[in-house]
Amino acid sequence: MLYIGSHVGFNKNSQILGSLEEALSYGATTFMFYTGAPQNTVRSKIDLEKVKKTKEKMQELNLDYTKLIVHAPYIINLANNQEEEKYQFSISFLKQEIKRCEQLEVYNLVLHPGSHVGLGKEKGIHNIIQALNQVLKDSKVTILLETMAGKGTEIGSTIEEIQEIIQGVENKDCIGICLDTCHLNDAGYDLSKFDDLLDEIDRKIGLHYVKCIHINDSKNPIQAHKDRHENIGFGTIGFDLLLKIIYHKKLENIPKILETPYVDRIFPPYKYEIDMIRKKKMNFNLIDQIKNS
Ligand code: FE
Ligand code: FE
Ligand code: ZN
């Protein structure tokens, strides 16, 4: 089965059951969500009854609950400890987020490694490793480090940086990687040589660490260090390359998650993009169709 889905909402009333409903309306077989707004730390109590219902519903539909993904809020920054209070806040919030994932029974948590904000890469990486070793001590959840575009002082835009962090993490069962196609492109990786990239990841880290892929086209050329996502087939990566990644034999059972922009900031494109991916055929009228739907 192709595990394809998108980022979906999560609200305090319908919770994960509402997230599933949204995903199903797009024809998705998996999904990713934030347990609250991505830019803040307001979080509601997890409703265990909704978790149970979601598991039952997915079982009925023959969908695999273990493929679901949570994304940690991006205000967590484990790389910068210039202000001890903020660093400790990031660590304790991440610990709470892991607890929420355990209650949700979603065991894959995507995390941006962090930005060093002037401390330098080495110090930043050291801070990330220290923090991860604290939060992963008795975790049932695997943290997936996302490959970043290299915007500003972001860490994790090279395979070597991800490798260095993973090498420093003691609990290797609870660490993994989330590839993001837009970020890889913007970081300088040529996705037309994707097989070479997979070989490099396998050599330096191990391909089995890759547990999620964010599928996004990019608004910018390779190595732009920008991080602006584009709709599938409308960016610089293009439909054919993204399709090759989505259907790659070595990545067969890994969930693929779309984080492409809403059309005119209002219309979610995911139903149309998923349809295009299933049909393996580019739809150049996609944007107009979405606007007129
Ligand atoms: Fe992300
Ligand atoms: Fe991403
Ligand atoms: Zn991004």
Side-chain angles (χ1 to χ4, degrees):
M1 177 181 314
L2 175 65
Y3 297 104
I4 183 91
S6 70
H7 157 244
V8 294
F10 179 95
N11 71 56
K12 68 175 193 292
N13 298 317
S14 63
Q15 298 210 350
I16 190 171
L17 192 57
S19 308
L20 171 65
E21 297 293 349
E22 183 183 344
L24 293 176
S25 78
Y26 302 147
T29 49
T30 186
F31 57 89
M32 178 178 84
F33 60 101
Y34 293 86
T35 62
Q39 69 280 11
N40 69 41
T41 52
V42 180
R43 294 294 182 268
S44 42
K45 197 171 178 295
I46 300 296
D47 179 345
L48 299 179
E49 191 55 34
K50 295 272 191 309
V51 174
K52 189 168 161 256
K53 279 192 180 142
T54 306
K55 288 181 83 175
E56 284 167 5
K57 179 136 198 197
M58 285 185 73
Q59 199 156 29
E60 268 168 45
L61 296 168
N62 261 317
L63 297 176
D64 187 350
Y65 195 88
T66 70
K67 303 291 180 191
L68 303 188
I69 309 279
V70 167
H71 198 308
Y74 25 83
I75 45 153
I76 294 179
N77 184 3
L78 303 183
N80 180 15
N81 67 345
Q82 272 156 313
E83 288 170 71
E84 186 60 22
E85 208 173 303
K86 279 191 190 166
Y87 181 61
Q88 291 306 332
F89 172 81
S90 285
I91 292 172
S92 83
F93 193 79
L94 187 54
K95 277 185 189 165
Q96 292 170 42
E97 196 69 359
I98 286 174
K99 287 276 165 287
R100 269 188 291 274
C101 286
E102 289 174 354
Q103 290 179 329
L104 287 160
E105 298 176 52
V106 174
Y107 296 106
N108 286 307
L109 175 61
V110 170
L111 175 74
H112 295 178
S115 295
H116 66 72
V117 206
L119 283 178
K121 285 217 155 133
E122 278 319 305
K123 187 85 184 77
I125 288 172
H126 172 84
N127 289 339
I128 294 167
I129 293 170
Q130 281 224 310
L132 287 175
N133 281 334
Q134 275 188 55
V135 303
L136 292 176
K137 208 163 259 164
D138 34 39
S139 167
K140 292 192 186 84
V141 174
T142 300
I143 287 184
L144 307 181
L145 300 169
E146 182 164 354
T147 60
M148 303 309 289
K151 198 176 53 179
T153 62
E154 266 173 7
I155 289 171
S157 63
T158 68
I159 302 306
E160 288 79 6
E161 286 168 19
I162 301 280
Q163 175 190 26
E164 211 182 316
I165 298 168
I166 292 181
Q167 274 171 351
V169 170
E170 287 153 13
N171 186 356
K172 295 276 195 287
D173 293 336
C174 289
I175 194 77
I177 306 169
C178 171
L179 302 176
D180 183 310
T181 55
C182 168
H183 298 175
L184 286 168
N185 174 80
D186 288 21
Y189 289 99
D190 182 355
L191 295 181
S192 71
K193 300 186 181 102
F194 189 67
D195 286 295
D196 294 346
L197 177 61
L198 288 187
D199 285 344
E200 185 186 340
I201 294 170
D202 199 30
R203 243 186 2 259
K204 292 182 175 162
I205 310 173
L207 206 53
H208 60 281
Y209 279 100
V210 177
K211 301 242 165 77
C212 178
I213 306 182
H214 290 167
I215 303 289
N216 303 303
D217 216 325
S218 174
K219 285 194 198 288
N220 289 286
I222 184 167
Q223 220 178 339
H225 301 298
K226 290 278 198 211
D227 190 6
R228 293 193 64 213
H229 302 185
E230 181 54 284
N231 291 106
I232 303 302
F234 290 88
T236 56
I237 302 172
F239 187 66
D240 292 343
L241 274 185
L242 291 171
L243 210 62
K244 197 186 147 199
I245 295 168
I246 292 166
Y247 287 100
H248 201 289
K249 262 268 164 253
K250 287 184 176 168
L251 307 172
E252 217 177 349
N253 291 310
I254 297 170
K256 322 278 179 345
I257 303 291
L258 302 164
E259 301 173 300
T260 47
Y262 275 33
V263 173
D264 288 345
R265 293 168 173 261
I266 323 173
F267 309 107
Y270 309 121
K271 180 178 159 211
Y272 301 86
E273 289 178 327
I274 289 172
D275 184 57
M276 192 166 79
I277 287 164
R278 287 193 193 285
K279 289 179 177 147
K280 300 186 184 180
K281 198 173 171 344
M282 179 62 195
N283 172 9
F284 290 100
N285 298 319
L286 183 110
I287 305 286
D288 289 326
Q289 262 178 31
I290 294 172
K291 282 187 192 176
N292 297 323
S293 65

